[in-house]
């Protein structure tokens, strides 16, 4: 096998290279559409293949060419991204091996499979592993990247630039890969479950579903942005929101009674474990104007929802206390990463970006978090193993209890 530095490789021309996706599924579509939307690559330089015309629509709708077979993509492209399921990755690479010269830069998006195996299957080591998420479509993925032995500095820059345009990229040692993917990839699905559960709590407390979902997404989005932008620990930010005997701490008490943190940590650890296993087996304003003025003022520092005052306690339980619940969730996800072997700093920044990206996906796509979660959780995969842990731990019930308890405490305090 041609290894690191033994063979002179042709540099990839950054202004002219063609990018191919082998596996035209959810993740490939998110990354490809994200790249086109961010103006990084024109659709005329992106290719993929799928036999089914219906599965081509996501790509063709933005002008990406979809061939009928993988061979055409491999022949046409200089940078080839493998985005098929881990279970079939080996056979797909082996089938294309005669076309995969060392002048082509290869990239795998699959969880689980290590560079050593990928390089063996391809017959050379100019390979990069990247694990993004479907939040790439809106430019908010939490992405992990590992370099193969023969990937050049230019290769590394090119891939970091591509994926940096559709999210944040962390380059790290491959031994941290499974745990990092459990946060950056699967973690977005855990965040969707948390957002949905917080919204459900609001519905129990009497808020209309639509308001609940937007408030809950904004609470997670704002909390994740606070962690990233202030650099403060989520525990510290949570303490700032939870005053003695107040409404927020009543909700947090419910989270802790329900072992909410343990469920989240279990989810991250179970997802990491499943990655290993898969590879092993394979106040009312006076006038309308005042109201608008206040809405404008507060809109400058966040989003504002106008509503009947009778909904106020439940809405505050999400929009206000909800940020504290989000801090607890972010901290717990980061703790899960540490339990799975990730350094604390990386774990916390990945977890914040995972929540930020997931909340932004709910707000920007207008899709239901359950639907977005389903797109990430494939049958028998790593993400669903983590979600199973959340459900076993009654994670949703804890979040709903937290919103209801906070609303109740608000009523009590108002009396
Ligand atoms: N989704 C995520 O959030 C996420 C995050 C991190 C990493 N990943 C990794 O990304 C990869 C793709 O995941 P995904 O969620 O995008 O899965 P997906 O939606 O199922 O996409 C896989 C695609 O591959 C196609 N395919 C099946 N056999 C093929 C073959 N022999 N040649 C070419 N294409 C073939 C499938 O076609 P059919 O539809 O006809 O089966 C499908 O369109 C996986 O390895 C996963 O580990 C995903």
């Amino acid at each position: 096998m041609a290894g690191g530095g033994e063979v002179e490789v042709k540099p990839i021309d950054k202004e002219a290279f063609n990018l191919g996706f082998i596996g035209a599924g959810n993740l490939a579509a998110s990354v490809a559409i994200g790249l086109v939307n961010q103006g990084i690559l024109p659709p005329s330089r992106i290719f993929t293949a799928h036999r089914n015309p219906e599965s081509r629509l996501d790509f063709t709708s933005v002008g990406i060419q979809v061939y009928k077979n993988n061979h055409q993509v491999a022949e046409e492209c200089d940078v080839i991204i493998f985005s098929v399921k881990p279970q079939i990755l080996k056979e797909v690479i082996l089938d294309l091996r005669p076309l995969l010269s060392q002048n082509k830069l290869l990239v795998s998006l699959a969880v689980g499979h290590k560079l050593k195996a990928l390089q063996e299957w391809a017959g050379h080591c100019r390979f990069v592993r990247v694990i993004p998420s479907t939040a790439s479509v809106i430019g908010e993925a939490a992405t992990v990247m590992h370099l193969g032995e023969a990937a050049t500095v230019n290769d590394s820059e090119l891939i970091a630039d591509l994926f940096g345009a559709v999210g944040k990229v962390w380059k790290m040692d491959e031994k941290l890969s499974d745990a990092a993917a459990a946060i950056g990839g699967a973690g977005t699905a855990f965040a969707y479950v948390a957002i949905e559960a917080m919204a459900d709590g609001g519905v129990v407390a009497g808020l209309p579903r639509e308001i609940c979902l937007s408030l809950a997404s904004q609470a997670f989005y704002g909390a994740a942005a606070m962690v990233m932008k202030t650099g403060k620990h989520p525990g510290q930010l949570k303490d700032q929101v939870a005053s003695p005997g107040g409404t927020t701490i009543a909700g947090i008490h419910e989270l802790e009674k329900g072992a909410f943190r343990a469920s989240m940590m279990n989810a991250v650890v179970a997802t990491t474990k499943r990655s290993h296993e898969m590879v092993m087996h394979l106040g009312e304003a006076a006038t309308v104007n005042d109201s608008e003025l206040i809405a404008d003022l507060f809109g400058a520092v966040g989003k504002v929802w106008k509503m009947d005052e009778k909904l106020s306690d439940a809405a505050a339980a999400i929009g206000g206390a909800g940020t504290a619940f989000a801090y607890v969730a972010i901290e717990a996800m980061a703790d899960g990463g540490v339990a799975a072997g990730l350094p604390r700093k990386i774990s916390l920044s990945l977890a914040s970006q995972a929540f930020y990206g997931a909340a932004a996906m709910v707000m920007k796509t207008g899709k239901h978090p359950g639907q977005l979660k389903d797109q990430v959780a494939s049958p028998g995969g790593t993400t669903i193993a983590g979600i199973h842990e959340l459900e076993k731990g009654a994670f949703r019930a804890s979040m709903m209890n937290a919103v209801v308890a906070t609303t109740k405490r608000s009523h009590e305090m108002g009396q």
Side-chain angles (χ1 to χ4, degrees), residues 21 62 77 139 156 190 208 213 229 282 284 289 300 368:
F21 289 87
V62 293
C77 296
S156 166
F190 308 159
L213 259 182
K229 292 187 182 162
L282 180 220
E284 196 178 34
N289 279 348
H368 189 278

Side-chain angles (χ1 to χ4, degrees), residues 171-392:
K171 288 184 199 172
M172 63 182 76
D173 193 308
E174 199 189 15
K175 69 176 188 294
L176 301 176
S177 170
D178 289 342
I183 297 186
T188 55
F190 308 159
Y192 294 135
V193 174
I195 291 169
E196 187 180 356
M198 191 184 278
D200 283 342
V203 175
V204 174
L207 271 188
R209 163 75 57 191
E210 209 175 304
I211 293 180
C212 281
L213 259 182
S214 13
L215 276 171
S217 318
Q218 182 64 29
F220 275 98
Y221 185 80
M226 280 289 281
V227 177
M228 293 191 291
K229 292 187 182 162
T230 64
K232 287 187 180 164
H233 189 279
Q236 198 182 355
L237 291 165
K238 178 266 293 168
D239 288 355
Q240 285 174 1
V241 185
S243 53
T247 57
T248 303
I249 199 70
I252 289 172
H253 192 189
E254 288 299 320
L255 293 182
E256 301 294 357
K257 279 197 276 184
F260 177 90
R261 295 184 198 241
S263 308
M264 179 63 93
M265 289 177 70
N266 287 343
V268 176
V269 173
T271 303
T272 310
K273 200 164 154 255
R274 180 82 188 113
S275 267
H276 291 307
E277 280 169 12
M278 275 175 59
V279 173
M280 299 261 293
H281 302 146
L282 180 220
E284 196 178 34
T287 65
V288 173
N289 279 348
D290 288 348
S291 154
E292 275 161 9
L293 178 69
I294 288 167
D296 285 345
L297 280 175
F298 285 92
V301 290
K303 289 220 177 93
V304 173
W305 284 262
K306 295 179 207 168
M307 65 184 74
D308 193 315
E309 197 193 7
K310 70 177 188 291
L311 301 176
S312 156
D313 288 345
I318 300 185
T323 52
F325 308 161
Y327 294 135
V328 174
I330 292 168
E331 186 180 356
M333 190 184 278
D335 282 343
V338 173
L342 275 186
R344 166 72 57 190
K345 209 170 165 200
I346 294 179
S347 198
L348 190 53
S349 38
L350 273 170
S352 315
Q353 181 63 30
F355 274 99
Y356 187 79
M361 280 288 278
V362 177
M363 294 191 289
K364 292 192 181 162
T365 64
K367 287 187 181 162
H368 189 278
Q371 198 183 354
L372 292 165
K373 178 264 292 169
D374 289 354
Q375 284 177 0
V376 184
S378 54
T382 56
T383 303
I384 199 70
I387 290 174
H388 190 190
E389 287 299 322
L390 294 182
E391 300 294 357
K392 278 198 277 184

Side-chain angles (χ1 to χ4, degrees), residues 23-27 50 70 83-86 88 92 109-111 131-132 376:
N26 284 323
L27 187 58
H50 206 289
N70 296 339
S83 44
V84 292
K85 291 288 184 210
I88 61 161
V92 168
L109 304 189
V111 295
I131 305 160
V376 184

Side-chain angles (χ1 to χ4, degrees), residues 54-205:
E54 271 186 25
S55 302
R56 297 182 202 161
L57 291 177
D58 282 346
F59 295 88
T60 53
S61 65
V62 293
I64 294 170
Q65 169 125 11
V66 186
Y67 290 131
K68 283 200 179 136
N69 70 66
N70 296 339
H71 287 246
Q72 291 165 291
V73 179
E75 275 162 9
E76 196 77 36
C77 296
D78 313 280
V79 180
I80 300 171
I81 299 184
F82 292 96
S83 44
V84 292
K85 291 288 184 210
Q87 293 86 339
I88 61 161
L89 183 59
K90 181 178 180 182
E91 77 183 68
V92 168
I93 295 180
L94 289 177
D95 175 53
L96 294 175
R97 182 171 166 140
L99 301 172
L100 306 178
S101 85
Q102 198 156 357
N103 286 330
K104 293 189 191 273
L105 172 59
L106 309 180
V107 180
S108 165
L109 304 189
V111 295
H113 293 301
K114 301 287 179 281
L115 280 163
K116 186 169 181 291
L118 298 168
Q119 294 171 162
E120 262 173 37
W121 302 336
H124 68 77
C125 303
R126 197 178 184 189
F127 225 124
V128 182
R129 272 189 80 198
V130 180
I131 305 160
S133 75
T134 48
S136 301
V137 75
I138 55 157
E140 292 295 353
T143 300
V144 184
M145 178 174 156
H146 318 289
L147 286 185
E149 289 165 36
T152 65
V153 173
N154 281 345
D155 293 344
S156 166
E157 278 174 11
L158 184 139
I159 298 303
D161 285 350
L162 276 183
F163 285 89
V166 292
K168 292 213 175 85
V169 177
W170 285 259
K171 288 184 199 172
M172 63 182 76
D173 193 308
E174 199 189 15
K175 69 176 188 294
L176 301 176
S177 170
D178 289 342
I183 297 186
T188 55
F190 308 159
Y192 294 135
V193 174
I195 291 169
E196 187 180 356
M198 191 184 278
D200 283 342
V203 175
V204 174

